[in-house]
Amino acid sequence: MNDYRTHKCDEISLSDIGKKVKISGWVQTIRDLGGLVFLDIRDMYGITQVVTSGKAEDVDFASHIPLESTVTVYGEVKKRDEETINTKLKTGLVEIRIEEITILGKRTKNLPFEINTKQDIREDLRLQYRYLDLRSERLKNNLILRSKVIQYLRNQMIEQGFLEVQTPILTSSSPEGARDYLVPSRLHPGKFYALPQAPQQFKQLLMVSGFDKYFQIAPCFRDEDPRADRAPGEFYQLDFEMSFATQEDVFKVIEEVVPYTFEKFTNWKVDKGPFVRIPYKEAMEKYGIDKPDLRNPLIIQDVTECFKDSDFNAFKGKTVKVIVVPDGNNQGRKFFDKMGEFATSNDVGAKGLAWTKLDENGEVTGGIAKFITPEIKEALQEKYGATNNSAMFFIADEFEKAQKIAGLVRIELGKRLDLLEKDVYRFCFIVDFPMYELSDEGTIDFSHNPFSMPQGGLEALNTKDPLDVYAYQYDLVCNGYEMASGAVRNHDPEIMVKAFEIAGYTEEDVKNRFGALYNAFQYGTPPHAGAAPGIDRMVMLIADSQNIREVIAFPKNKKARDLLMRAPSVVSKQQLKDVHIKLDLEK
C-alpha cells in the first residue's frame, strides 16, 4: 500500500498465511510470556495480533514499547494456535510473526487515563485530552456514524432535487431566539459581525433569487446555556428551503428523508410517514411539553371541573391535572413519597404532589383518599380512565405552571415505572404554534421564528388578540427530543412590518435590522417554506447516546469551555487594539 503498510489492521486473514505483510498502528496491549511477547496493534479499522520471534533482543525490545506508541510491524502471517484463537476479532484466526518492528511515535508521557476502559472517567479530563479519548472504540464509531449519516442526508437531498449552497459565517446580528456571538471588525471601528444563529435570512434570499430548492449542512452559532441534548455555542443542521411550497410539502420532504436515515443506521423500529400532527395546544394539554415522547403511554388530563366543589384546600382556585397510571396500585408508599420529592425539587417546582389509588376492588386508598367523594370517584372512572388497581397523581397550580409540572411528572413516571416502548423511534409534528407569547416583562414577543407566516395573514394580525394568532410553524419531535424546526415564511413586506410591529419593532427597525429581506421582498417573492433537522441530535439518537457531546469530535464542556484548545482565552492588548476594543472587567 505504501511505506508504512501493505494492509490495514482489519484486513489480515487466512488467505494471507505465508505472505510477508506490513501494518502500522498503536500498541494497545502487550503480553510478555517470557520467551514470547504478544502485542495487539490497533489502527482505525481493527486490531491484529503480532508476536515476537524467540530472539532475546526482540523480546526485550517489544516488551518495553510504551503502550499507545505508534509502530510499524513487518513479518509473516501465520495461523494462530488453536488455544489462542480469538473469535471476537475479525483477525482472530491469524497473527504476524515479527521480523521487524519500528517505533514511529513513542509515547513519552504517562497516559491521563486508560484507552478503551470501561471505567468511568471524569468528562472534563476526557475533553482535555480529547485526541486520546477519540482513540476509544465507542467514540470512533460515533464519529464514523456521524460521517455516514451526513453523507446519506446529503445524497438524499440531492436526489430530491435540492441544490447545496454555502451561506456566510460572518453576517449581521439578528434576533432569532438566542444571544449572538459577536465578532468585532478591524476595518470598521465600533461595528460587529455576528455568527449566524441559522442561515435563516440567506436561505430566504436564495428563494427570492429564484433557486427552487436549497440545502446545506449548516453550522449554527448560539450563545445559550448547554444541556445534555444541546451542544453549547455551535451545532449543525440539515438546513433546507423550497419555493412555491406549503407546510405539507415540507413535511413530505422530512418524512422521505429523516425516518429512512434512522432506519438505515439502526436496528430499532422506525415510524414512517405520514407522522401524526399534534397542535401545540393539544401537546401542552396531554403531555405538558411541546416535544412529547410518544413511547410513554401516560397522558395528562384536566380534572379542574371534577374538583371544583372539593374540600381539599390545595386544589381550591387552581388548575388541577391528573395522570392515571394503570396497575399503579402495586407500588408501595416509598414510590409515592419519592415521586413527591421529585415534584417538589427545585428543578420541577411543585408545591406538592397529591395521589391516591384504586385497589383491586375499586376502593379508594392512600394519599388524598378522604377527599375523593363518590361523585369524584365516579367521574375519575367514567371520564378519566381510572380503573381497578390504578394510581392517580394530581398536580394543582396556576394553569401554565400546572401543565409544565405535570409534563415533568409524566416523564419521570415513565422512566421510573419503565413504561417507555423499547427499541423504537416515534415521530410526530407539533403544529399551530402561537405566533406570539408574553415575555417575562409582560410584553408581546415572538414565540418561535420571527420570519414565520401568521395563519390568517394580515387580517389575523389586524383583528385578533396577538396571543390568539397561530403561525405556520412546526417542529419535528422524536422520542422526546426536538429534531427539527421550521415554518412557512412570511414573504409579504406588509405582513412582515405588521408582525414585527406587534412585537415592538418599528418599520425603521425592520429596515435597519432586516434590510436585505425587507428590500428583497419588494421585487417579487415566491411563497416559500423550510425546516432544519438537527444533525448532532439525530446522530445522538441513532447512536443511542444520552449525551450530545459523545457524537461531536471536539465539543465544549457543560460550561461552554473548550478544555482542549483552552477557549475562550485571554488575547493580547495588541489584538484588542487592532479591533478597537477596550475591556471593562470591573464588577
Side-chain angles (χ1 to χ4, degrees):
M1 187 180 297
N2 62 24
D3 289 345
Y4 292 108
R5 56 188 178 186
T6 60
H7 294 70
K8 299 170 185 173
C9 285
D10 69 333
E11 293 179 334
I12 309 298
S13 66
L14 290 174
S15 63
D16 296 307
I17 291 176
K19 295 179 181 178
K20 298 293 183 70
V21 299
K22 182 184 286 188
I23 63 170
S24 292
W26 284 260
V27 178
Q28 178 162 298
T29 62
I30 298 176
R31 298 180 298 283
D32 187 349
L33 302 185
L36 294 175
V37 176
F38 293 86
L39 302 90
D40 284 340
I41 308 301
R42 179 195 75 242
D43 64 8
M44 178 176 173
Y45 309 99
I47 296 173
T48 295
Q49 178 175 284
V50 302
V51 58
T52 61
S53 67
K55 296 179 181 179
E57 60 269 24
D58 291 344
V59 170
D60 182 64
F61 179 81
S63 64
H64 288 88
I65 299 174
L67 294 180
E68 293 302 316
S69 297
T70 55
V71 298
T72 185
V73 175
Y74 176 78
E76 183 179 348
V77 179
K78 299 284 188 179
K79 186 177 181 180
R80 290 199 196 191
D81 296 334
E82 289 296 325
E83 63 271 17
T84 64
I85 287 175
N86 185 349
T87 57
K88 295 180 180 179
L89 286 181
K90 184 179 178 181
T91 59
L93 296 175
V94 295
E95 61 190 14
I96 299 174
R97 297 291 172 90
I98 300 172
E99 295 182 18
E100 295 179 14
I101 182 167
T102 304
I103 297 177
L104 302 174
K106 186 176 182 179
R107 176 179 63 80
T108 59
K109 288 188 174 182
N110 291 332
L111 291 169
F113 51 80
E114 185 180 341
I115 309 298
N116 280 313
T117 181
K118 293 183 179 180
Q119 296 177 353
D120 287 334
I121 304 168
R122 184 165 50 87
E123 187 182 46
D124 277 2
L125 185 63
R126 291 172 48 216
L127 293 177
Q128 182 181 350
Y129 294 93
R130 189 64 166 184
Y131 45 85
L132 296 179
D133 200 25
L134 287 171
R135 294 182 186 180
S136 70
E137 190 76 8
R138 176 176 49 83
L139 287 189
K140 179 195 72 176
N141 288 339
N142 283 351
L143 289 193
I144 292 172
L145 171 65
R146 182 188 179 100
S147 175
K148 290 180 177 179
V149 167
I150 290 174
Q151 181 180 1
Y152 183 80
L153 290 171
R154 177 175 276 114
N155 291 340
Q156 290 292 101
M157 298 303 287
I158 292 171
E159 286 179 10
Q160 293 201 38
F162 285 82
L163 181 72
E164 185 170 10
V165 182
Q166 288 74 43
T167 55
I169 297 300
L170 292 176
T171 184
S172 59
S173 179
S174 173
E176 293 185 31
R179 295 182 183 89
D180 286 324
Y181 280 103
L182 301 177
V183 181
S185 170
R186 176 181 61 84
L187 298 177
H188 304 281
K191 295 185 177 181
F192 294 81
Y193 301 102
L195 304 182
Q197 294 189 31
Q200 183 64 54
Q201 294 188 65
F202 289 111
K203 66 180 180 181
Q204 291 191 249
L205 289 170
L206 284 170
M207 302 299 102
V208 180
S209 303
F211 291 92
D212 194 52
K213 292 181 175 182
Y214 138 93
F215 89 98
Q216 70 172 314
I217 308 299
C220 303
F221 306 89
R222 298 180 186 178
D223 186 2
E224 53 191 359
D225 295 333
R227 300 190 309 234
D229 67 330
R230 182 171 68 193
E234 58 192 289
F235 59 92
Y236 283 81
Q237 60 189 30
L238 172 63
D239 199 65
F240 71 91
E241 197 79 10
M242 301 184 293
S243 288
F244 307 107
T246 65
Q247 177 172 286
E248 286 300 318
D249 293 320
V250 175
F251 289 176
K252 185 177 179 181
V253 171
I254 291 175
E255 289 167 344
E256 289 180 353
V257 173
V258 173
Y260 293 97
T261 303
F262 275 74
E263 185 178 58
K264 182 173 179 61
F265 296 104
T266 181
N267 294 322
W268 289 15
K269 182 180 177 181
V270 180
D271 271 350
K272 299 293 181 59
F275 300 147
V276 60
R277 276 76 159 156
I278 305 175
Y280 171 83
K281 184 177 180 181
E282 179 184 334
M284 296 304 295
E285 288 174 351
K286 292 176 66 175
Y287 308 109
I289 195 170
D290 60 1
K291 46 184 179 182
D293 189 343
L294 299 186
R295 297 173 302 168
N296 185 343
L298 300 178
I299 62 170
I300 301 163
Q301 300 178 85
D302 194 303
V303 290
T304 306
E305 183 69 18
C306 187
F307 284 91
K308 66 178 181 178
D309 298 321
S310 173
D311 293 331
F312 191 30
N313 288 331
F315 285 6
K316 288 184 177 179
K318 303 289 180 62
T319 294
V320 184
K321 302 288 185 179
V322 68
I323 301 171
V324 178
V325 180
D327 300 321
N329 183 51
N330 59 11
Q331 298 297 325
R333 180 60 185 257
K334 184 177 180 180
F335 176 84
F336 293 91
D337 290 343
K338 289 292 183 181
M339 282 302 305
E341 291 174 9
F342 167 80
T344 55
S345 67
N346 292 335
D347 291 337
V348 180
K351 296 180 178 67
L353 182 64
W355 62 273
T356 192
K357 300 190 289 186
L358 293 180
D359 65 17
E360 62 274 12
N361 299 314
E363 296 298 320
V364 183
T365 63
I368 62 167
K370 66 180 180 180
F371 296 106
I372 306 298
T373 64
E375 293 76 18
I376 292 176
K377 174 188 171 184
E378 181 179 353
L380 290 171
Q381 289 175 311
E382 294 184 0
K383 294 182 180 179
Y384 304 103
T387 59
N388 292 4
N389 289 314
S390 63
M392 288 158 280
F393 294 84
F394 300 91
I395 299 92
D397 214 308
E398 298 174 4
F399 177 73
E400 290 187 359
K401 194 170 182 180
Q403 279 190 334
K404 178 183 176 182
I405 293 170
L408 294 172
V409 170
R410 170 185 175 269
I411 293 171
E412 191 67 15
L413 284 170
K415 291 178 181 177
R416 295 193 182 197
L417 295 173
D418 194 26
L419 298 177
L420 272 64
E421 193 177 1
K422 301 293 190 300
D423 300 340
V424 65
Y425 295 106
R426 295 293 183 205
F427 292 95
C428 65
F429 284 115
I430 306 299
V431 298
D432 299 339
F433 276 87
M435 184 79 178
Y436 301 100
E437 64 184 4
L438 285 178
S439 69
D440 293 338
E441 293 75 30
T443 59
I444 298 293
D445 201 357
F446 291 107
S447 69
H448 207 273
N449 189 310
F451 301 103
S452 303
M453 179 65 78
Q455 296 183 20
L458 189 60
E459 181 182 355
L461 296 181
N462 283 327
T463 61
K464 287 188 173 183
D465 183 324
L467 298 180
D468 292 332
V469 176
Y470 293 139
Y472 287 111
Q473 299 167 338
Y474 36 83
D475 284 351
L476 173 68
V477 175
C478 177
N479 289 8
Y481 292 96
E482 179 190 319
M483 282 293 304
S485 187
V488 175
R489 313 304 179 185
N490 185 347
H491 68 282
D492 186 316
E494 186 178 5
I495 299 177
M496 180 181 181
V497 169
K498 183 62 179 179
F500 276 91
E501 177 188 307
I502 292 172
Y505 298 87
T506 66
E507 184 170 358
E508 284 303 309
D509 291 332
V510 175
K511 290 180 180 178
N512 290 333
R513 302 195 71 171
F514 316 108
L517 271 183
Y518 179 82
N519 290 327
F521 284 176
Q522 319 293 323
Y523 293 95
T525 304
H528 53 282
I535 289 175
D536 308 292
R537 201 166 288 171
M538 189 183 303
V539 177
M540 183 187 78
L541 286 173
I542 293 173
D544 192 24
S545 174
Q546 303 301 310
N547 189 331
I548 204 164
R549 292 183 290 277
E550 297 296 285
V551 298
I552 298 171
F554 299 102
K556 296 171 180 59
N557 71 359
K558 296 177 183 178
K559 297 181 179 179
R561 291 189 61 86
D562 182 341
L563 299 179
L564 174 62
M565 304 303 291
R566 300 179 183 179
S569 60
V570 175
V571 299
S572 70
K573 290 182 179 179
Q574 184 59 48
Q575 287 174 289
L576 292 174
K577 186 176 180 180
D578 287 344
V579 292
H580 322 287
I581 285 181
K582 291 182 179 180
L583 296 181
D584 181 6
L585 299 178
E586 293 183 7
K587 294 183 179 180

